[in-house]
Amino acid sequence: MSTTDRRHGPAPLPAARGPVSAALLTALPGSPGELPAGLGDGFATVAAPLTDEDLQLTLFLCYELHYRGWRDVAEEWEWEPALLALRARAERPFEAALRRLAGPLPAVLPAALPAALTDLVAADDGPALAATLQRRADLEQFREFVTHRSIYHLREADPHSWALPRLGGPAKAALVEIQMDEYGNGRLDRMHAELFRTTMDRLGLDTGYAAHLDRVPAVTLAINNLMSLFGLHRRLRGALLGHLAGYEMTSSLPNRRYGNGLRRLGFDAVATRFYDEHVEADAVHEQIAAYDMCGGLVRAEPALAGDVLFGAAAGLAVDRLFAGHVLSAWSAGGSSLRAPDRALAAA
């Protein structure tokens, strides 16, 4: 496999994390077709879908077929009815868990939506992961954080681009403006995914696409699966834009802290460029996302206001779970990543 292929995908299949992902991983290298009867039925009774390793990996395996695909896996699997049925069995408890986690949200009129998003963000009181990375995290902990984030940042902006053909008017124009910045305005060296790859390289990490998939836990996969769930379902287009708005509205300060943390550890402007770029860009994107994109959407489709708030709230809530997991592991003197021997044992 060439260096270019490895950097940009498709990725090799990961190790299984339970009986359902194991059965799916056994099937995917073969010809597209039926999966074992009842596969995934047990997901309906999973106690904690957001942190269930088997459920989250199964979803990630299914969703990645709509991104770069999997190495040596037939592309026809993407729309195989049996696989879509399995994905639906995993999505139902996942979405239900997200709605429980987001909690009850206030009814809001379209004109008041930007203010409601601002209030939602202001009320977010998640664990202080960014402050820890800025002030106290050592090099290995910072490398762990970047390893987690690599699952998304090496394809940054892609899930939200699924909204483009589902929108029109002001909301679409605003989303295009945000996405153009994310994709470096067509310049490879300015694409945020490529800037992040440079940061990974400076930290001595493998920069291959999804290279660290086996090491990240279910909660990291849930962050990514949330975006894919919202992006692949037209009925959740409001939630997808709400998620993006919440992301942009809470990004500038943490990224400043991440950059400062790397500088504290002795890294140069090349290593911190990804974070420094987001400090400036996301400060602008915040207003565009809340007023032009989400505001424009609900002016055209008022019934989607509640979905927008749900998407923002769900994204913030899952990020809180992730931050709590990382900080708890570090406080206990351990790693927030899955142990290498567990991945090997699963394989």
Side-chain angles (χ1 to χ4, degrees), residues 33-219:
E34 291 299 317
L35 294 170
L39 187 65
D41 283 351
F43 285 154
T45 57
V46 165
L50 298 174
T51 54
D52 187 273
E53 298 287 350
D54 199 24
L55 187 151
Q56 291 300 327
L57 181 60
T58 296
L59 276 175
F60 196 92
L61 288 166
C62 293
Y63 287 148
E64 184 59 30
L65 292 165
H66 301 285
Y67 289 98
R68 315 284 172 86
W70 296 106
R71 194 178 303 170
D72 301 321
V73 170
E75 294 182 350
E76 288 78 7
W77 271 110
E78 180 181 6
W79 298 110
E80 170 57 43
L83 185 137
L84 296 178
L86 169 61
R87 194 184 91 187
R89 287 192 285 272
E91 284 179 331
R92 284 190 285 270
F94 179 47
E95 183 178 345
L98 290 172
R99 293 189 181 277
R100 289 193 299 271
L101 188 66
L105 297 166
V108 59
L109 295 174
L113 180 66
L117 285 169
T118 300
D119 290 344
L120 184 68
V121 167
D124 184 50
D125 58 351
L129 178 57
T132 298
L133 287 161
Q134 177 185 4
R135 299 168 186 163
R136 296 187 298 277
D138 60 27
L139 176 58
E140 190 55 38
Q141 289 171 333
F142 213 109
R143 293 176 82 247
E144 277 190 24
F145 171 73
V146 170
T147 296
H148 285 288
R149 291 306 197 194
S150 70
I151 306 302
Y152 169 65
H153 283 313
L154 289 180
R155 65 180 184 201
E156 183 165 349
D158 290 350
H160 299 111
S161 291
W162 273 320
L164 287 170
R166 296 168 177 172
L167 302 174
K172 185 168 191 167
L175 178 57
V176 167
E177 184 174 356
I178 292 171
Q179 296 300 81
M180 283 294 291
D181 280 346
E182 302 290 344
Y183 292 128
N185 289 287
R187 285 183 51 183
L188 178 65
D189 64 316
R190 294 179 61 184
M191 287 177 62
H192 289 181
E194 293 304 311
L195 296 180
F196 190 79
R197 179 172 279 112
T198 298
T199 298
M200 293 182 71
D201 184 65
R202 288 300 178 100
L203 287 168
L205 294 169
D206 189 336
T207 64
Y209 180 75
H212 303 281
L213 181 57
D214 279 325
R215 295 298 311 280
V216 301
V219 69

